[in-house]
């Protein structure tokens, strides 16, 4: 349960710009990959599209970004100082927005796992896992040459999940492999994985069991040698009464010190604001799950973080009151203290999707996309939905203290 105490400003807050260009729409680091490697580097992916903020606001919708000049592509930034400063490490204009590499015809996307890499030690801090799907596949100009090859492998490839592994801390990546559907109708991924105490890797995905059913969060588990993954469990039941018919999406797992696995899930009633965060838990390695708590009234997707002192922190954007907020639990996610307002100067609903880390003892770093209400650029669309509203979308970084 979430506290009903009044929200209060976070302490020792510091904001900075990690990436911004005036003719680009930079967004969604939550679903594009975030890692810390064995050298202590932070690596973050996000989406970029070249746009005209003075043009048609509808072209700033997600599908409009994919169709924009150059497509909706991926960019990677790295930090070697705990997230205080960031540098561009890969801005290859050919990369689709969900992939860590330019896909290669005849090499990437085949089923059958990655037997050439087995055995894989997922406990090695330089072994990084990427899992993704090619969103808006058929509208994406960056995948035009790759699409016929994928069509030769499987039908509806945009509803398939692919995965890659880096064994050198993100300096290079393996070819991608296609996950088996294991009887499911479709799968989608948002770069969400964690490693169990026994060294098995868990992928937190969403899937549809049968045509016509809604998508639900689920888990795949690595095989013992790490060469492939297979379906393990559903996180929420079919027709979950707690979700009330809303969309359940963006699951993200976190292993607690006692071995319990937590999973945050975005419960979505309205994409431009009315959404919140549920926490689910598993005490048997992800085989079965149960509802633990509704973490907040409004705000999702929520990035979870276990602090060194054992406290659980969730950071999320509140789109109804454009702001970045956090809550802290001292009992493993069963209850939370009052909201901490990290910043409340958002220029529109189109913010959030954070990735977070502990930058120093009790200090949380957050990377997210944002647009500010004092920006010189302010898009004011007419009608609904309010696509494009607000200022230039950029990647921001904030530090704040957790009392």
């Amino acid at each position: 349960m979430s506290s009903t105490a009044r929200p209060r400003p976070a302490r020792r807050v510091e904001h900075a710009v990690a990436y911004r260009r005036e003719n680009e729409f930079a967004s969604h680091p939550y679903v594009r990959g975030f890692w810390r490697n064995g050298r202590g580097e932070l690596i973050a992916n996000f989406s970029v599209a070249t746009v005209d903020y003075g043009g048609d606001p509808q072209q700033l919708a997600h599908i409009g970004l994919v169709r924009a000049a150059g497509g909706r592509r991926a960019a990677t930034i790295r930090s070697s100082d705990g997230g205080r400063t960031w540098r561009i490490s890969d801005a290859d204009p050919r990369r689709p927005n969900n992939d860590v590499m330019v896909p290669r015809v005849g090499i990437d996307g085949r089923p059958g796992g990655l037997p050439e890499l087995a055995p894989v030690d997922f406990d090695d801090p330089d072994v990084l896992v990427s899992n993704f799907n090619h969103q808006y596949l058929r509208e994406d100009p960056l995948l035009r040459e790759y699409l016929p090859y994928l069509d030769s492998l499987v039908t509806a490839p945009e509803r398939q999940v692919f995965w890659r592994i880096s064994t050198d801390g993100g300096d290079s990546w393996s070819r991608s492999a296609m996950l088996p559907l294991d009887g499911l109708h479709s799968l989608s991924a948002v770069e969400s994985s964690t490693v169990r105490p026994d060294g098995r890797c868990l992928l937190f995905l969403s899937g549809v069991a049968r045509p016509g059913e809604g998508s639900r969060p689920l888990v795949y588990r690595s095989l013992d040698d790490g060469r492939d993954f297979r379906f393990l469990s559903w996180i929420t039941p079919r027709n979950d009464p707690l979700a009330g018919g809303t969309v359940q999406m963006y699951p993200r797992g976190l292993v607690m010190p006692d071995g319990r696995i937590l999973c945050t899930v975005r419960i979505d009633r309205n994409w431009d604001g009315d959404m919140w965060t549920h926490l689910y838990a598993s005490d048997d390695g992800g085989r079965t799950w149960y509802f633990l708590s509704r973490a907040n009234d409004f705000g999702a997707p929520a990035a979870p973080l276990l602090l060194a002192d054992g406290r659980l922190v969730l950071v999320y954007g509140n789109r109804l009151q454009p702001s970045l907020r956090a809550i802290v639990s001292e009992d493993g996610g069963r209850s939370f203290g009052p909201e901490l307002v990290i910043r409340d100067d958002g220029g529109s609903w189109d913010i959030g999707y954070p990735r977070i880390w502990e930058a120093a003892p009790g200090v949380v770093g957050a990377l997210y996309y944002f647009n500010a209400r004092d920006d010189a650029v302010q898009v004011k669309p007419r009608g609904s939905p309010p696509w494009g509203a607000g200022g230039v979308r950029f990647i921001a970084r904030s530090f704040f203290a957790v009392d």
Side-chain angles (χ1 to χ4, degrees), residues 11-12 307 309 311 313 326 328 340 362-364 400-403:
R11 295 180 57 250
R12 287 191 280 156
L307 297 180
D309 63 14
R311 288 180 293 173
V313 180
V328 182
L340 305 177
V363 177
V364 175
F400 66 97
V402 177
D403 298 327

Side-chain angles (χ1 to χ4, degrees), residues 29-323:
Y30 184 91
V31 293
R32 299 295 185 259
F34 182 84
W35 304 271
R36 186 196 294 269
N37 64 23
R39 301 186 293 273
E41 285 184 309
L42 298 174
I43 305 169
N45 286 352
F46 53 91
S47 293
V48 173
T50 301
V51 299
D52 177 9
Y53 284 99
D56 180 1
Q58 289 295 323
Q59 295 307 308
L60 301 178
H62 293 177
I63 192 63
L65 299 175
V66 174
R67 294 169 175 164
R72 193 184 195 185
R73 55 200 185 273
T76 304
I77 55 178
R78 291 188 181 226
S79 174
S80 300
D81 58 6
R84 181 164 297 279
T85 61
W86 296 82
R87 68 185 186 280
I88 300 171
S89 63
D90 187 352
D92 190 330
R94 301 169 298 161
R95 284 172 58 196
N97 77 101
N98 289 58
D99 203 343
V100 297
M101 288 178 58
V102 178
R104 295 157 295 181
V105 173
I107 298 174
D108 284 307
R110 301 196 304 266
L114 298 173
E116 68 272 23
L117 294 183
V120 179
D121 180 6
F122 292 107
D123 285 324
D124 183 337
D126 279 326
V127 171
L128 313 180
V129 180
S130 173
N131 55 100
F132 61 95
N133 53 279
H134 292 300
Q135 196 174 21
Y136 305 121
L137 178 72
R138 299 189 182 279
E139 292 86 3
D140 192 340
L142 297 174
L143 292 168
R144 195 163 288 142
E145 295 180 2
Y146 188 57
L147 177 60
Y149 167 63
L150 282 185
D151 279 341
S152 72
L153 296 175
V154 66
T155 58
E158 64 270 25
R159 295 301 180 187
Q160 295 279 345
V161 166
F162 307 88
W163 61 288
R164 297 183 190 269
I165 285 181
S166 172
T167 59
D168 56 11
D171 293 339
S172 64
W173 291 87
S174 73
R175 67 180 176 90
S176 67
M178 184 188 300
L179 283 183
L181 280 175
D182 280 349
L184 299 171
H185 175 62
S186 67
L187 277 175
S188 61
V190 289
E191 290 284 8
S192 181
S193 64
T194 193
V195 180
R196 285 192 330 199
D198 63 1
R200 272 74 167 189
C201 182
L202 302 181
L203 304 182
F204 290 80
L205 313 168
S206 294
V208 174
R210 302 176 187 85
E213 291 189 358
S215 178
R216 289 187 284 148
L218 55 85
V219 179
Y220 268 51
R221 199 212 85 177
S222 64
L223 299 184
D224 290 350
D225 61 1
R227 64 178 171 82
D228 209 346
F229 291 81
R230 303 307 294 259
F231 175 87
L232 180 64
S233 64
W234 293 103
I235 295 172
T236 63
R238 184 181 297 133
N239 301 320
D240 184 359
L242 294 170
T246 56
V247 176
Q248 307 166 51
M249 58 197 301
Y250 296 166
R252 191 162 306 283
L254 180 70
V255 178
M256 302 298 284
D258 61 0
R260 171 176 287 175
I261 303 173
L262 301 182
C263 180
T264 59
V265 176
R266 168 174 155 174
I267 308 299
D268 195 347
R269 186 173 296 281
N270 185 346
W271 55 264
D272 62 354
D274 193 359
M275 59 186 71
W276 60 90
T277 299
H278 279 178
L279 266 176
Y280 292 84
S282 174
D283 294 323
D284 57 7
R287 300 181 189 96
T288 60
W289 296 83
Y290 57 91
F291 176 79
L292 187 64
S293 65
R294 175 167 170 169
N296 56 9
D297 288 339
F298 305 110
L305 174 68
L306 180 67
L307 297 180
D309 63 14
R311 288 180 293 173
L312 173 68
V313 180
L314 303 184
V315 176
Y316 48 88
N318 180 330
R319 289 181 160 183
L320 292 175
Q321 300 168 280
S323 55

Side-chain angles (χ1 to χ4, degrees), residues 357-369:
W357 65 96
E358 189 166 12
V363 177
V364 175
L367 196 75
Y368 53 96
Y369 85 103

